[in-house]
Amino acid sequence: MAVKEKIGRNDPCWCGSGKKYKQCHEAFDDKIKMAKDFGHIVPGHELIKTPAQIEKIKESCKVNIAVLDYVGEHIKAGMTTEEIDRMVYEKTTEMGAIPAPLNYEGFPKSVCTSINEEVCHGIPSEDIVLKDGDIINVDCSTILNGYFSDSSRMYMIGNVSEDKQKLVCVTKEAVEKGLAEVKPWGYMGDMSQAVHDHAAANGYTVVREIGGHGVGLEFHEEPWVGYNGKRGTGMLLVPGMIFTIEPMVNMGKQPIYIDDDNGWTVYTEDGLPSAQWEIMVLVTETGHEVLCY
């Protein structure tokens, strides 16, 4: 994605700060242009959030975090995933927000609940009951005053086997390894390789077809965020970018398939468990800030 045409040095900056361009983002844009001239993928201005937008996005994130905290306090064996959906809807709306998944491209519920071999996009149902030993990903997304937030957590139900516990923990560690690589003027591939290498070192595979995304002004924005990339490749990371880190890590092999009946739920082809944690991260001038988890 190209950087916009250069504006006059004494013109108001494109970011809306009210400052002259030469005093605000001129040097910033020159640095991006240099990376582009060297053949790197660079973000356009539309992917760079302003301070005012970031504050609004953070307010949405507070709701998302509170909803997942609430789920964590109540989730248990014997509960249906429909009950989780109801909790998410009620808590979100009580806080003045809207569940982003509800009716998004036809998705029928307020949250995704993916159990064991379900990789993602599990649809809550009265017929699906949590059992002792299950692992479940609850993927929650929120709209507050037009601003979007998105994160997910794994929950272990009752007495979970050691191999499932390890999968859940290693997946979280992989997110943390990736997060440590997020810094201004680095590359998306730096994060991606760190995630992949940690999963692979533990004998796991990372789903290729589904990844993270930019978020904040829309539910899903550019860039697409994969976790099988190489260091020094991928989009240039610059201050003001916001995206999710949300690898789906399979205990077994990589291949997945989508449920033919509902068109949403993704499963591992070999039937072995998958785990996912999702955080929202802001690239800052000095490193990064986790906005949602």
Side-chain angles (χ1 to χ4, degrees):
M1 189 174 294
V3 177
K4 291 181 180 178
E5 290 294 321
K6 194 168 184 179
I7 60 177
R9 298 185 72 236
N10 290 310
D11 291 340
C13 187
W14 54 262
C15 74
S17 66
K19 297 179 183 177
K20 291 181 179 180
Y21 180 55
K22 65 183 180 183
Q23 297 167 337
C24 197
H25 272 91
E26 184 181 34
F28 176 95
D29 282 351
D30 286 345
K31 202 166 183 178
I32 292 176
K33 184 179 183 301
M34 185 180 298
K36 183 172 182 285
D37 290 343
F38 275 98
H40 292 289
I41 302 165
V42 301
H45 292 159
E46 71 278 3
L47 300 189
I48 300 164
K49 273 61 175 183
T50 67
Q53 290 170 335
I54 290 167
E55 288 310 307
K56 295 290 188 182
I57 292 166
K58 285 181 177 181
E59 291 302 310
S60 180
C61 289
K62 288 177 185 177
V63 176
N64 212 69
I65 292 166
V67 171
L68 283 171
D69 286 347
Y70 186 70
V71 170
E73 291 164 6
H74 294 87
I75 197 168
K76 61 183 178 181
M79 173 180 285
T80 68
T81 52
E82 180 66 28
E83 288 177 80
I84 297 172
D85 185 73
R86 201 153 46 241
M87 280 196 295
V88 168
Y89 179 82
E90 290 173 356
K91 187 68 173 175
T92 303
T93 54
E94 174 189 305
M95 297 183 74
I98 301 166
L102 188 59
N103 300 319
Y104 175 76
E105 294 186 353
F107 191 80
K109 298 292 181 176
S110 297
V111 69
C112 296
T113 51
S114 306
I115 303 171
N116 298 328
E117 74 278 9
E118 295 176 342
V119 176
C120 62
H121 303 160
I123 300 176
S125 169
E126 290 284 10
D127 300 325
I128 301 173
V129 181
L130 293 181
K131 303 185 300 296
D132 186 69
D134 283 342
I135 58 172
I136 178 172
N137 177 268
V138 178
D139 190 348
C140 186
S141 311
T142 300
I143 311 169
L144 180 68
N145 299 322
Y147 292 87
F148 291 76
S149 53
D150 189 9
S151 60
S152 80
R153 300 180 195 172
M154 294 297 299
Y155 300 97
M156 295 188 278
I157 308 302
N159 300 298
V160 174
S161 64
E162 288 187 8
D163 58 345
K164 283 186 180 177
Q165 288 184 45
K166 181 184 175 186
L167 175 67
V168 170
C169 292
V170 168
T171 303
K172 189 173 188 182
E173 290 168 2
V175 171
E176 292 164 353
K177 297 278 187 184
L179 177 64
E181 297 295 330
V182 176
K183 52 181 73 78
W185 315 111
Y187 294 92
M188 193 68 79
D190 304 346
M191 177 279 297
S192 181
Q193 182 166 351
V195 169
H196 175 272
D197 287 355
H198 189 68
N202 284 276
Y204 302 140
T205 58
V206 184
V207 171
R208 290 183 179 275
E209 298 91 333
I210 310 169
H213 50 91
V215 62
L217 306 183
E218 301 289 344
F219 194 172
H220 296 102
E221 304 172 10
E222 294 294 331
W224 186 82
V225 181
Y227 308 100
N228 289 277
K230 297 296 183 183
R231 186 173 297 280
T233 68
M235 185 174 280
L236 180 72
L237 302 180
V238 305
M241 286 178 65
I242 297 176
F243 58 90
T244 65
I245 303 177
E246 51 174 311
M248 298 159 204
V249 179
N250 295 347
M251 186 182 289
K253 296 180 179 179
Q254 230 170 36
I256 56 175
Y257 69 94
I258 299 174
D259 189 306
D260 285 334
D261 293 329
N262 66 37
W264 280 100
T265 309
V266 179
Y267 298 86
T268 58
E269 197 170 273
D270 58 16
L272 292 176
S274 185
Q276 178 194 23
W277 294 83
E278 177 182 13
I279 62 173
M280 249 174 89
V281 60
L282 165 70
V283 183
T284 67
E285 296 285 351
T286 57
H288 60 258
E289 180 182 353
V290 176
L291 303 185
C292 202
Y293 56 86

